[in-house]
Amino acid sequence: MAMEPPRKKVRSLKIETVAVHGGDQHDPGHGAIFPPITTATSFVQPNLGEEGRFAYSRCGNPTRNAYETAIAELEGGCWATATASGMAATALALELLEPQSHVLAMRGLYGGTVRLFEKVRRSSQHLSFTYLDLNDLKDVCSKIQENTRMIWVESPTNPLLTLVDIGALVEAVRAAQDPKKPILICADNTFATAWNQQPLKLGVDIVMIS
């Protein structure tokens, strides 16, 4: 007797559905609709020297996995990393840069971001920063230096709510950059949230939210 193959469940891609059901939310232990909060520090391993999906909570656990995969899907990305705060996420993104790199940043950034840039990373990582209106594409392209490795976008800005045409910025930077020295474009999407814009779909490389 022939049987039809099981049909793949199709989930709506509407933002309100993804916000509730997005990411890896299955509970293989008991089949709960939403996974329970896991408080364990360590996890049972298959065998000596063999690691299972989770080993130690500092590296990952089912709760963090559910959250990170949900955020990634909301933002239209392939993966996400959860941090303790928005400033920790900003600091983590800066770790992608080599010492003495140059960063172009939107004028009027959140004060905490500016303080991290100026009071910490200028000295600890020897980064340099140039603040400008990222909507002035001619000025942006003229400010790209030999060591420019990141453009930091915040749209809308906090607290002045200045918007950046992210798609136009990405197109201009990609055309102006040296292909051998690609520039990372990072967008702080905190104020807009994925409900209003998905910068990854506009061509940026990294999105952070607080």
Side-chain angles (χ1 to χ4, degrees):
M1 182 175 73
M3 297 182 65
E4 289 186 2
R7 295 182 179 180
K8 184 178 180 180
K9 292 183 179 179
V10 178
R11 172 162 53 79
S12 170
L13 297 179
K14 291 183 178 179
I15 188 70
E16 52 265 50
T17 302
V18 177
V20 176
H21 297 290
D24 181 6
Q25 304 295 331
H26 78 285
D27 172 24
H30 304 285
I33 294 177
F34 293 107
I37 294 175
T38 302
T39 57
T41 302
S42 54
F43 300 83
V44 175
Q45 302 305 301
N47 209 333
L48 184 65
E50 295 181 27
E51 286 194 4
R53 187 177 183 188
F54 302 105
Y56 192 62
S57 273
R58 183 184 298 142
C59 303
N61 68 27
T63 304
R64 275 177 54 193
N65 179 69
Y67 173 69
E68 290 172 340
T69 54
I71 290 295
E73 188 169 348
L74 273 171
E75 292 289 348
C78 55
W79 59 270
T81 299
T83 58
S85 67
M87 292 311 302
T90 302
L92 183 61
L94 294 177
E95 291 295 331
L96 295 171
L97 302 178
E98 295 181 355
Q100 301 183 340
S101 293
H102 173 244
V103 179
L104 291 175
M106 179 62 181
R107 185 182 297 138
L109 289 179
Y110 168 60
T113 302
V114 175
R115 286 190 290 276
L116 175 65
F117 287 178
E118 297 295 330
K119 295 183 179 296
V120 181
R121 292 311 173 94
R122 269 193 187 272
S123 57
S124 68
Q125 206 172 348
H126 302 292
L127 302 180
S128 59
F129 301 89
T130 299
Y131 303 92
L132 69 167
D133 179 3
L134 294 180
N135 289 302
D136 187 341
L137 302 180
K138 185 176 180 180
D139 192 32
V140 170
C141 293
S142 70
K143 293 295 194 303
I144 294 177
Q145 304 175 10
E146 183 73 17
N147 62 333
T148 301
R149 292 294 178 269
M150 178 178 282
I151 295 180
W152 191 271
V153 186
E154 189 177 294
S155 181
T157 58
N158 176 5
L160 298 180
L161 302 181
T162 304
L163 297 174
V164 176
D165 187 337
I166 297 175
L169 173 67
V170 170
E171 184 177 355
V173 171
R174 298 301 182 226
Q177 71 180 7
D178 183 343
K180 296 180 180 179
K181 299 176 181 178
I183 298 172
L184 288 172
I185 302 178
C186 182
D188 182 339
N189 204 34
T190 299
F191 264 30
T193 76
W195 185 276
N196 294 294
Q197 70 178 6
Q198 293 176 305
L200 292 173
K201 294 184 177 180
L202 297 174
V204 309
D205 302 294
I206 307 167
V207 168
M208 64 79 57
I209 56 174
S210 178

